[in-house]
Amino acid sequence: MKNILLGILAFASVILVSCNNPQTDNTHTAVTAFKIGDIVPNDQVCMVNNAYMGKKQLEVQHEGKTYYGCCENCQVRIPQEESARMAYDPVSNKLIDKATAVIAISDKNDNVVYFEDKANYEVFFKKKFTLISN
């Protein structure tokens, strides 16, 4: 019985630590068939880990805006850490709010990139795919 309890505690610790680590390995299989360059629903992105999760995430309200996280730890971090709420648009280099951003999958591990508008999203992926095809 003691070994079972220790196993459960160890498993729970791994889950909490992995979510707490900003370098969490986001290699998972998304449920929906989105691919690199696709815009994804904001509510299916963990904004702490910057990863498309393939299902609706936990809502976090902060200063009248809605953010999303994958676990209770993310719910705590979003109000406390600006990096969980803000990101740099790779085209304009402006600091933007993740709650209002256009979000797209950036790599095969379902990491995401944030854009201030759809025009910047289109510029970024047109340039990225042009470089890949050349």
Side-chain angles (χ1 to χ4, degrees):
M1 182 68 165
K2 187 176 180 180
N3 288 339
I4 293 173
L5 182 58
L6 287 174
I8 291 171
L9 288 173
F11 179 75
S13 297
V14 168
I15 297 289
L16 290 175
V17 170
S18 68
C19 188
N20 192 24
N21 182 353
Q23 299 299 321
T24 299
D25 179 15
N26 294 319
T27 55
H28 61 277
T29 304
V31 176
T32 311
F34 287 109
K35 63 185 182 311
I36 296 171
D38 286 348
I39 294 175
V40 295
N42 291 24
D43 66 355
Q44 294 186 18
V45 171
C46 174
M47 295 178 175
V48 174
N49 291 309
N50 301 312
Y52 170 69
M53 305 302 277
K55 63 181 182 177
K56 187 166 171 66
Q57 298 301 290
L58 301 170
E59 278 189 24
V60 180
Q61 298 295 319
H62 180 71
E63 296 182 356
K65 296 179 183 170
T66 304
Y67 301 88
Y68 298 93
C70 65
C71 66
E72 289 179 15
N73 187 48
C74 291
Q75 289 180 301
V76 171
R77 290 177 64 186
I78 287 171
Q80 295 176 348
E81 298 175 22
E82 183 181 45
S83 64
R85 299 184 311 275
M86 306 295 285
Y88 283 95
D89 180 311
V91 175
S92 68
N93 219 20
K94 289 182 184 176
L95 189 62
I96 59 169
D97 195 320
K98 292 178 182 180
T100 59
V102 174
I103 307 174
I105 295 178
S106 64
D107 64 29
K108 66 179 180 171
N109 294 324
D110 291 336
N111 291 306
V112 298
V113 64
Y114 302 88
F115 301 95
E116 66 179 312
D117 55 37
K118 196 165 181 180
N120 285 4
Y121 153 79
E122 290 169 354
V123 167
F124 180 82
F125 281 102
K126 181 177 180 182
K127 182 177 180 181
K128 183 173 182 168
F129 289 128
T130 300
L131 291 173
I132 291 171
S133 64
N134 287 336

